[in-house]
Amino acid sequence: FCHAYQSKNYSALSRLFSRNWHAADGSDIYDLEETLTNSFRMFNSIKMSIRGLTIQRDEDSYKVRYEATITGQISRLRPHKETSNVEDTVSITPDGPKIMSSTGMLH
């Protein structure tokens, strides 16, 4: 996830999300696509780090919790840094793990 985000590889990131993905704020997969596309276009470079990763089984899915910090750089301007506590619900599908929903998303 971090590698795909930092390399601004939208196609690699999109494979990690369910087409039915949604966020606690009502965002859906189309909102996420727009947000990622805009961020990747705006920033010359992006660094992402994850701390405190925990994974807990929850019936037929997993709760994945972590603190994510994203730092974006636009040319010579001062870097923009954002940190958020994230909780993803992840299901294991025949196509691999898919993020089904998220709370505390970075925007």
Side-chain angles (χ1 to χ4, degrees):
F1 188 92
C2 282
H3 179 70
Y5 204 103
Q6 290 180 142
S7 59
K8 301 194 271 185
N9 186 340
Y10 175 75
S11 63
L13 270 176
S14 67
R15 287 192 292 270
L16 300 174
F17 289 88
S18 162
R19 296 307 302 164
N20 296 320
W21 175 88
H22 63 278
D25 67 0
S27 300
D28 62 18
I29 193 68
Y30 303 106
D31 298 318
L32 179 63
E33 289 171 356
E34 184 176 340
T35 298
L36 290 173
T37 301
N38 290 339
S39 292
F40 292 168
R41 190 173 333 142
M42 180 181 0
F43 293 108
N44 297 98
S45 66
I46 298 174
K47 292 184 180 173
M48 179 180 201
S49 65
I50 291 179
R51 293 179 33 181
L53 177 69
T54 63
I55 301 170
Q56 181 179 14
R57 187 169 179 90
D58 185 28
E59 294 184 25
D60 61 345
S61 63
Y62 296 86
K63 295 291 182 191
V64 180
R65 295 176 182 94
Y66 54 94
E67 179 185 273
T69 300
I70 296 177
T71 305
Q73 181 73 43
I74 303 172
S75 298
R76 295 182 184 143
L77 298 177
R78 193 167 133 213
H80 172 77
K81 184 176 183 178
E82 189 170 330
T83 300
S84 184
N85 291 316
V86 179
E87 180 180 299
D88 294 328
T89 300
V90 177
S91 291
I92 305 301
T93 73
D95 296 324
K98 299 287 183 187
I99 300 169
M100 308 303 286
S101 65
S102 301
T103 62
M105 287 299 296
L106 296 155
H107 293 287

